Amino acid sequence: PRFWEVVTPVRDGHVLSCTAGVECDLCACWISPMESVHSRLRQCKTKRGRRELEKRLPKTVEDIKNCMIIRGARTSDVVQKLMRDLSLIKKPDCVTLSRKNDFLPFEDMTPIERFGAKFDAGLFVFGNHCKKRPHNLTFGRLFQYSLYDLVECGITRYQEMRTSSNAPAIASKPALIFLGQWEEGIHASLKTLFMDIFRGHLVTSINIAGIDHAWVFVARPGAVMVRHYSVAQHASGGPAPTVQLSELGPNFDLEIRRDRQPSSDLVKIATYKKKTKKARQKNLGTNVFGETVGTVHIQRQDFAKLASQTKLPKALRKRGAEVRNAQGTKRPRADPEAEADAEAEVQQ
């Protein structure tokens, strides 16, 4: 098959939207990218190639999403600087495509889907500039290397990232603060987009002392304000430290222009989580103090055998006469005639 070709899939007589898939040369059927990954996994000949393909399979707990920073055919200086700052912050989970790409996400998603399959990326930021839409920045996500949603914004204010001694460590987890109304409309989609881009690796617990920078997102009607601060914690004499914020950048304001939201069926498929059955733990309970108590089942023990197997110190051991007296037996007497016969046989 010709992998990652663009075809027009037809199912049940209905023409679906074009997407990156596989067109089989034998039956001209359409295969999704995930199905092609499964087929390639079965045909894989090396262990290294199998490991790389297994990383792309669906997981119950997904890894961090790689982000593609894509440059358009025409970009302004503001767009290039902001994309450079975002790539520095997202390292090492970022792929920068610095060459000029002559396409637009709202018109043709095929190149971005191809890039997503190539670099195993689920997020992208596309920057371009034109007279109709100056300083344009497009945020988007991919599901199974196909388009999930798009939000196009315009940069109205930009302050580049500063060099500071309090710069955050690479791949450190930030604090995300959302102010305003983020529950409805396009702001809800932007909130999940910003969380996917800036949240870092998923963890079960975090040390508060390790938070060294914070992102603040303020929702306004038709616009979003984004601020980046470095966090310095000082002793306060109490249980909670004193937090001092200083502007780190990049700081920018976005004007929301247009978007493309996924269908309800696609949202249901993308947010589905397989139910995992927990292994049943037998003979476990909880006492009144909340502690876990277990029951251990063993065979009936023979205490007499245990006593015989236990090695006593020499002072406590019983002598032979004491053992015979305890058992009620006496040592048999020797027969003199039998001893004489045995000596005669030895002499002969």
Side-chain angles (χ1 to χ4, degrees):
R2 299 191 295 271
F3 289 103
W4 314 120
E5 271 195 39
V6 180
V7 296
T8 304
V10 179
R11 290 181 180 175
D12 301 331
H14 300 283
V15 179
L16 304 179
S17 59
C18 293
T19 182
V22 179
E23 184 182 6
C24 181
D25 292 331
L26 299 178
C27 58
C29 62
W30 181 81
I31 307 174
S32 69
M34 279 293 104
E35 292 174 359
S36 66
V37 170
H38 283 283
S39 63
R40 291 165 64 188
L41 189 61
R42 289 192 295 268
Q43 300 172 3
C44 191
K45 296 181 180 179
T46 61
K47 292 183 178 180
R48 181 180 179 183
R50 187 177 184 85
R51 287 196 301 267
E52 292 298 325
L53 289 175
E54 285 177 349
K55 293 179 183 178
R56 303 193 178 194
L57 294 177
K59 303 174 184 177
T60 305
V61 179
E62 292 289 342
D63 301 329
I64 185 173
K65 299 179 182 178
N66 293 330
C67 182
M68 298 181 294
I69 308 295
I70 306 173
R71 178 183 178 181
R74 294 182 59 188
T75 55
S76 63
D77 186 50
V78 173
V79 173
Q80 290 189 25
K81 288 182 178 180
L82 180 55
M83 292 171 63
R84 180 199 60 194
D85 292 345
L86 292 178
S87 64
L88 291 175
I89 293 170
K90 280 291 293 180
K91 280 185 177 181
D93 306 309
C94 178
V95 178
T96 303
L97 305 178
S98 57
R99 292 185 178 181
K100 296 181 179 181
N101 297 279
D102 193 8
F103 62 87
L104 296 175
F106 279 87
E107 297 179 2
D108 185 14
M109 275 295 301
T110 304
I112 296 180
E113 291 172 349
R114 191 183 299 116
F115 291 149
K118 180 179 179 180
F119 299 109
D120 190 21
L123 299 167
F124 68 91
V125 179
F126 183 87
N128 66 314
H129 173 77
C130 62
K131 185 177 180 180
K132 185 177 180 180
R133 294 183 177 89
H135 311 303
N136 203 41
L137 208 63
T138 305
F139 301 91
R141 284 179 288 191
L142 302 177
F143 173 66
Q144 292 186 353
Y145 308 126
S146 300
L147 176 65
Y148 182 75
D149 61 350
L150 279 175
V151 178
E152 186 180 72
C153 303
I155 305 171
T156 57
R157 178 183 177 273
Y158 167 70
Q159 182 182 356
E160 62 182 348
M161 188 164 54
R162 302 176 181 176
T163 56
S164 173
S165 58
N166 297 328
I170 297 177
S172 63
K173 195 168 181 66
L176 303 182
I177 304 171
F178 292 89
L179 305 177
Q181 300 294 328
W182 290 93
E183 290 75 19
E184 297 180 357
I186 192 173
H187 284 90
S189 179
L190 263 177
K191 180 180 179 179
T192 56
L193 259 170
F194 288 146
M195 289 177 65
D196 285 342
I197 293 174
F198 297 106
R199 70 182 175 185
H201 293 267
L202 293 176
V203 294
T204 55
S205 60
I206 188 171
N207 186 5
I208 299 179
I211 299 177
D212 54 1
H213 63 123
W215 288 93
V216 180
F217 306 93
V218 182
R220 300 177 61 186
V224 175
M225 299 171 60
V226 182
R227 300 292 182 266
H228 189 204
Y229 298 97
S230 63
V231 178
Q233 302 182 18
H234 305 285
S236 61
T242 301
V243 178
Q244 181 180 0
L245 300 180
S246 57
E247 287 192 1
L248 183 62
N251 300 332
F252 53 94
D253 296 346
L254 298 176
E255 174 192 1
I256 302 175
R257 289 174 176 169
R258 53 179 175 170
D259 66 318
R260 182 179 296 175
Q261 299 299 326
S263 61
S264 57
D265 295 336
L266 183 58
V267 173
K268 188 181 297 184
I269 296 172
T271 56
Y272 171 76
K273 286 187 178 181
K274 185 178 179 180
K275 296 181 180 179
T276 56
K277 294 183 178 180
K278 294 183 179 179
R280 183 184 176 185
Q281 297 179 341
K282 299 180 180 179
N283 305 320
L284 285 180
T286 307
N287 57 12
V288 293
F289 302 104
E291 300 172 344
T292 303
V293 180
T295 304
V296 181
H297 298 275
I298 59 176
Q299 297 179 355
R300 186 183 295 274
Q301 296 179 348
D302 187 359
F303 296 102
K305 186 181 293 185
L306 289 176
S308 63
Q309 292 177 356
T310 304
K311 187 175 181 180
L312 298 175
K314 191 174 182 180
L316 299 179
R317 295 176 192 171
K318 292 183 178 180
R319 299 180 180 180
E322 296 178 357
V323 173
R324 288 193 297 272
N325 294 334
Q327 294 177 356
T329 60
K330 294 183 179 180
R331 187 175 182 178
R333 294 181 179 180
D335 189 2
E337 296 180 358
E339 291 180 358
D341 295 340
E343 290 178 1
E345 290 179 0
V346 170
Q347 291 177 2
Q348 292 177 1

